[in-house]
Amino acid sequence: MALTEMQNRLANAIRGLAIDGVEAAKSGHPGMPMGMADVATVLFTRFLKFDAANPHWADRDRFILSAGHGSMLLYSLLYLTGVPGMTVEELKHFRQLGHKTPGHPENFHTVGVETTTGPLGQGISTAVGFAFAEKMLAAQFGKKVVDHYTYVLASDGDLMEGVSQEAIALAGHYKLNKMIVLWDHNGISIDGPLTLSDSVDQIKRFQAAGWRAVNVDGHDQDAVAAAIEAAQKSNKPTLIACKTTIGFGSPHRAGTSKAHGEPLGPEEAKLSKENLGITGAPFEVPADVLKAWREAGSRGATARQAWEERFATLSERKQAEFNRRMGHVRPAKLGKAILAHKKALAAAPTAMATRKSSEAALNAIVEVMPELVLGSADLTPSNNTKAKGLVEITPKDFKGRYIHWGIREHGMAAAMNGIYLHGGFVPAGGTFFVFTDYARPAIRLAALMGTAPVYVMTHDSIGLGEDGPTHQPVEHLAACRAIPNMRVFRPCDAIETAECWQLALERTNGPTILALTRQNLPLLREATTANLCAQGAYELAGTGGGKAAVTLFASGSEVEIAMNARAILNQRGVPTRVVSVPSLELFIAQSEEVKAKIIGDAPVKVAVEAAVRFGWDAVIGIDGGFVGMTGFGASGPIKDLYNHFGITAEAVAETALRRHNG
Amino acid sequence: MALTEMQNRLANAIRGLAIDGVEAAKSGHPGMPMGMADVATVLFTRFLKFDAANPHWADRDRFILSAGHGSMLLYSLLYLTGVPGMTVEELKHFRQLGHKTPGHPENFHTVGVETTTGPLGQGISTAVGFAFAEKMLAAQFGKKVVDHYTYVLASDGDLMEGVSQEAIALAGHYKLNKMIVLWDHNGISIDGPLTLSDSVDQIKRFQAAGWRAVNVDGHDQDAVAAAIEAAQKSNKPTLIACKTTIGFGSPHRAGTSKAHGEPLGPEEAKLSKENLGITGAPFEVPADVLKAWREAGSRGATARQAWEERFATLSERKQAEFNRRMGHVRPAKLGKAILAHKKALAAAPTAMATRKSSEAALNAIVEVMPELVLGSADLTPSNNTKAKGLVEITPKDFKGRYIHWGIREHGMAAAMNGIYLHGGFVPAGGTFFVFTDYARPAIRLAALMGTAPVYVMTHDSIGLGEDGPTHQPVEHLAACRAIPNMRVFRPCDAIETAECWQLALERTNGPTILALTRQNLPLLREATTANLCAQGAYELAGTGGGKAAVTLFASGSEVEIAMNARAILNQRGVPTRVVSVPSLELFIAQSEEVKAKIIGDAPVKVAVEAAVRFGWDAVIGIDGGFVGMTGFGASGPIKDLYNHFGITAEAVAETALRRHNG
């Protein structure tokens, strides 16, 4: 169906701004915004429930630009609808340092951006988390407070990434019917036509995953509208495959790879705007068109007011709880619960794997922290994530707090980002530590965005034994510690585990990995009131006043080994301290003063960790001794492995003695 | 159809050994081998083209156990068919250190294992590479020498991992019709029935990806045989969904999660064997059954002999070339070609991005190294991987040497492992460096297995500019350097780039990452005959004899900055050396003597790298200065970013001066 003149002009406002923004930056991706302008116009002027003046309204529909390279589409929409902060000046400074219009959308940077996208596949997978959170929060607070859609604009590339399969399988299985994906099916990728490398029937693929999936002409606004309307009524998530022309309107680049990722250039930009009937100076939007867009932006104000009235009918306690959880304020009782748990542990010391200690900590936490949602990528009995009393979420009932993610580490981590960003929940999910590799792109985004999920990563070293090197992390501590804003904790016993959980859950500006053992570890710690893990390291055992000749540093399961080595060394008359280092990178980030005090001045420093040395020189120095792994592990019983790789108290003591005597 | 008695006994031989192996280890996964014993029996006794006595025969069918946890299935088959080295003693020492029967199959450890599996999704994705290699090698050497199938045994979990989608999309698009997947559709995962977390219609999903897909009763051997026969004739890859019972034969555990990953226990093991009619001592196989299995193992001997006769009809030159390539012997001319290229570069110095330098090096290499196959995950114009004269591979023609992998970094990396392992090719594939995160599980396997693909990772720092922090690697150098047996090169100019390519391609025991810039870099090096990158670091600029006060260390794009800082420092009367560090971890691995010489004895050490410090302390020491990144990057033009983050010659000089004067 032909567009009305106004429909066309509304869409062309996006196209004009996208062309101008990319031209000004001399860098960027004009093709997607030009191609999807019609679809975005329909969504934002007719469907999306939002109030531009109140972009944080809790019950707004979420719009996720999975095809993050087309960021000018989103910035144009934020400007056109009148979201505070997105001025025309910002558009003019697209992709410039210090502006709200970075190359790819960054939610921690720009109001109105729901999540950070750009790495393909992340948006659609994160959106699954938003849709999950909506269902869960609605189940807990009622539909009159929580009832919104999650819309995704996805590209061909998003659907080629493997994580998209994990995402759509989850959405299909859990019947996240309020998730609606608008797929920009332009058939063009960077290397050329998509047919160079792809021939997947996406409609059939999504149907196979339990979705409703339909085709539509992405330049027929009424047809798109009809498709969205039908999608809203579906009991399944919906894929709307929008057949579009990339770079729509560009006489020479439309429908080509060149439209994707480079500016049109002044000449083609001019021709394109003429072709589209866009007149006026760059970044100028005709007054009547801007007015119509602004009206679209305030379209949701009445719905928001009505929501506020409904919200006001909740009990004050419930309102406060809703606001607390949406604002990511942690429950007041958390600290006390942890302390009580620590005392209980100290009162009845037992040897326990830290994965079990983690479960014990969770048993103490889940009651006081109702927003904590746990889950596992099909390793529940190994990760020990299903704390006491947690009920499973099922496609029919979202009241529970435990999610079976299936064997989908990457999809789980991405969805956890969405759950956190939606608000109302803190997600924690488990798998084996070695499989952080599978989830790494989403884990990195958590660190970049400053979301604070918790990754419960068990089987954290060769200590897992017989499964062998494919399952034994040796480089993962280093690889995860290197991520900015990431916190990796590797507790040495049940009390440290509780402390690390506390730090992880109190954190609201970044993610935490808990690296936990399969094997039993003795209780080494007392139940101090202070959280000794908070600085990343602390003296676990001193010399009782005298000068130390040796300081041993260790994390996790190797702290026990260090303590045994200390006993050997003390016996041999070498006064030895042990510093427990539950978080190496957190410790390295402390002030020089704090570090100097904890590191101490013993002439001999030896670190022991069943992992590669990489990163440890920052504490022990180049001359420091290191007892750990130099390569991959092997398959065998745990004791054989520790002996084979020489990670023993005797080896640690010998390493220290060699330096002490040498 | 009911099984014949011998069919049943052949399958039960596998079941019995699997039960006994897991019982002996008190650890392992009996469920899959018991469930897939019938399917494996059909494949190995009736279809798989192999000659157990000659497990390295180039044209054997490849069998990939994607469900690597069921390793006892594979070990049983190797033993039963008589593959050298797999004795009953090895089976008795399942999962014990120093034996050929590790927890998950390791090809570098056990003859007859084609690839290392266990991390789910890897086997099926690596198999795509095997199937690719078969088609490519057949196109180059003819069907009379290369003509085999690639069979995969995959689990429910394999199909849930996102990478499986990338794999099946590739296989479907390229019509890898000689790839046949036997899916162990037992409907059970660790957390419980698969229905807890999954409801994908796999038949429909595979069909959507261009596969033939059929259902079969996995315990009806003749039906399985008919399905394989039909699959062999298909012009598409085939999924055979084998409905099976996990732990088949176990009275109390069959069909349950408990059968998956733990020993049956003595009592249930006994009951299971009784139930299956297995008598005799543990690990005992009835003589007539073993005989039948051994006959199956030698079934392919005549086919192998016929192949050898056909092979002998090739010209001697062609035979030698085939053997050279299958044996991963590098072409003799490679070194000369690189040296000539270096001299040409030195003769006409120009500023070039190292991604362009890489293309220039490739242009010099591809002619002398016909086994080098290049490709990109849809970033060909950015990665500059399509060297002069390379022809694309298409579903209809596999003679080319360039693969469009689509936006599938993980699938690409996994398939590259398969291509390498098959033999005949060295694959090199490109994407942005930040997206090593997407491919990491397959990259890790390359390092573990010692395959030697090359990852062409461009846009290696904030130097990529406007795309912003989602695309700017800052921790990836550290994260990749930490992987054992990984080599990360970050060359500083065109000559270093050529040297790094040489080292990458001459390597035959592990993978190499080339981290390359988007931005132009000047030529800093002379064309030495020696490959100066071979020790990871070398003095690029000295003091001309005098004692150095400062040594600056840098890699890649920051070597230019270090050289400029040196000029500033020299001007201020501070004699300064520059050490180029194209590979930090390779340098750290050198002898103390070599390191000491290159590091030198200047009292001040400063490193500069547009990445996090993590790992550098091993060279510069705790007190060393570091100019680099402390967090994520930002979106903006490159110059603004380097200034904003203070990675400038002035900042380096100042850091050195502060230490020099302080």
Side-chain angles (χ1 to χ4, degrees), chain A residues 95 103-104 120 161-162 166 173 189 191 195 198 201 208 378 380 404 408-409 438 444 467 469 472 475 635, chain B residues 95 103-104 120 161-162 166 173 189 191 195 198 201 208 378 380 404 408-409 438 444 467 472 475 635:
Chain A
R95 297 187 149 229
H104 294 84
L120 289 170
E161 289 288 357
E166 301 183 19
H173 174 73
S189 76
D191 278 7
T195 49
D198 193 58
D201 179 339
D378 196 46
T380 298
H404 289 289
R408 304 183 182 102
E409 302 81 10
Y438 275 81
R444 180 179 206 254
D467 274 351
Q472 291 165 352
E475 76 277 25
S635 172
Chain B
R95 296 187 149 228
H104 294 84
L120 289 170
E161 289 288 357
E166 302 184 18
H173 174 74
S189 75
D191 279 7
T195 50
D198 193 58
D201 179 339
D378 197 46
T380 298
H404 289 288
R408 306 182 182 102
E409 301 82 8
Y438 275 81
R444 180 179 207 256
D467 274 351
Q472 291 164 353
E475 76 277 25
S635 172

Side-chain angles (χ1 to χ4, degrees), chain B residues 550-578:
Chain B
V550 171
T551 299
L552 303 177
F553 300 84
S555 82
S557 40
E558 285 71 66
V559 176
E560 180 190 7
I561 291 174
M563 290 297 282
N564 293 338
R566 172 173 173 269
I568 296 172
L569 288 163
N570 282 346
Q571 220 167 11
R572 300 213 190 162
V574 182
T576 300
R577 301 164 66 229
V578 169

Side-chain angles (χ1 to χ4, degrees), chain B residues 562-628:
Chain B
M563 290 297 282
N564 293 338
R566 172 173 173 269
I568 296 172
L569 288 163
N570 282 346
Q571 220 167 11
R572 300 213 190 162
V574 182
T576 300
R577 301 164 66 229
V578 169
V579 172
S580 179
V581 190
S583 178
L584 180 63
E585 78 288 357
L586 177 58
F587 179 56
I588 293 173
Q590 300 301 309
S591 70
E592 291 306 320
E593 219 182 324
V594 167
K595 278 199 280 187
K597 202 179 152 200
I598 293 170
I599 291 174
D601 52 8
V604 174
K605 297 184 195 72
V606 176
V608 48
E609 184 167 71
V612 296
R613 178 173 178 142
F614 205 81
W616 271 100
D617 295 80
V619 170
I620 56 174
I622 297 175
D623 297 329
F626 184 78
V627 175

Side-chain angles (χ1 to χ4, degrees), chain A residues 56-357:
Chain A
H56 300 293
W57 170 29
D59 199 40
R60 68 192 179 279
D61 284 346
R62 304 311 199 265
F63 173 71
I64 315 287
L65 187 74
S66 195
H69 53 271
S71 55
M72 268 307 296
L73 177 89
L74 182 50
Y75 302 145
S76 301
L77 289 163
L78 296 179
Y79 165 65
L80 289 168
T81 57
V83 172
M86 188 52 74
T87 62
V88 77
E89 271 311 297
E90 296 297 329
L91 299 185
K92 286 180 180 170
H93 289 89
F94 179 50
R95 297 187 149 229
Q96 304 306 303
L97 201 56
H99 286 272
K100 304 216 167 297
T101 45
H104 294 84
E106 299 168 5
N107 65 310
F108 52 93
H109 201 82
T110 308
V111 171
V113 174
E114 301 285 0
T115 183
T116 297
T117 52
L120 289 170
Q122 293 302 318
I124 187 171
S125 313
T126 306
V128 169
F130 278 95
F132 244 110
E134 194 268 347
K135 291 252 184 210
M136 295 191 295
L137 206 61
Q140 293 184 10
F141 286 87
K143 277 215 165 240
K144 68 178 183 178
V145 185
V146 185
D147 185 8
H148 69 78
Y149 290 95
T150 300
Y151 295 97
V152 180
L153 193 168
S155 64
D156 293 304
D158 281 307
L159 303 194
M160 290 171 92
E161 289 288 357
V163 68
S164 70
Q165 180 63 24
E166 301 183 19
I168 71 171
L170 283 166
H173 174 73
Y174 284 100
K175 294 195 187 299
L176 304 180
N177 62 315
K178 291 164 88 178
M179 176 168 173
I180 299 173
V181 173
L182 301 153
W183 168 35
D184 178 20
H185 181 23
N186 61 41
I188 294 294
S189 76
I190 288 174
D191 278 7
L194 207 63
T195 49
L196 270 182
S197 62
D198 193 58
S199 38
V200 172
D201 179 339
Q202 298 289 3
I203 295 286
K204 204 166 166 180
R205 174 187 169 209
F206 275 71
Q207 286 169 344
W211 287 54
R212 203 176 150 268
V214 296
N215 280 301
V216 71
D217 174 354
H219 298 296
D220 181 339
Q221 294 193 13
D222 291 334
V224 171
I228 295 175
E229 217 171 309
Q232 289 184 336
K233 292 173 193 148
S234 171
N235 63 350
K236 299 175 176 181
T238 297
L239 173 78
I240 304 176
C242 308
K243 188 75 204 151
T244 65
T245 302
I246 192 170
F248 181 94
S250 164
H252 302 103
R253 297 213 169 166
T256 74
S257 291
K258 268 191 116 40
H260 168 79
E262 49 183 292
L264 297 177
E267 187 56 28
E268 184 70 9
K270 188 166 154 276
L271 291 177
S272 302
K273 290 172 84 169
E274 278 172 20
N275 187 36
L276 290 162
I278 303 171
T279 55
F283 297 101
E284 202 175 288
V285 178
D288 61 331
V289 172
L290 187 58
K291 183 159 171 279
W293 267 113
R294 291 285 153 98
E295 279 167 15
S298 58
R299 202 172 33 87
T302 48
R304 181 186 53 76
Q305 283 152 12
W307 180 87
E308 276 167 8
E309 281 160 28
R310 289 198 304 277
F311 185 72
T313 66
L314 297 185
S315 72
E316 259 181 52
R317 208 188 54 76
K318 202 147 195 188
Q319 287 185 38
E321 180 67 357
F322 184 86
N323 289 332
R324 179 186 75 75
R325 286 176 51 172
M326 289 301 285
H328 279 301
V329 175
R330 299 297 183 249
K333 289 181 190 166
L334 179 59
K336 268 188 199 165
I338 298 270
L339 186 56
H341 172 60
K342 280 159 65 175
K343 285 181 178 164
L345 289 169
T350 42
M352 239 195 290
T354 49
R355 61 177 172 145
K356 286 295 290 178
S357 306

Side-chain angles (χ1 to χ4, degrees), chain B residues 153-207:
Chain B
L153 193 168
S155 64
D156 293 304
D158 282 308
L159 303 193
M160 291 172 92
E161 289 288 357
V163 68
S164 70
Q165 180 62 26
E166 302 184 18
I168 70 171
L170 283 166
H173 174 74
Y174 284 101
K175 295 194 187 302
L176 304 180
N177 62 315
K178 292 163 87 178
M179 176 168 174
I180 299 172
V181 174
L182 301 153
W183 167 35
D184 177 19
H185 181 22
N186 61 43
I188 294 294
S189 75
I190 290 174
D191 279 7
L194 207 63
T195 50
L196 269 183
S197 63
D198 193 58
S199 39
V200 171
D201 179 339
Q202 299 289 2
I203 295 287
K204 204 165 167 179
R205 175 189 169 209
F206 274 72
Q207 285 170 343

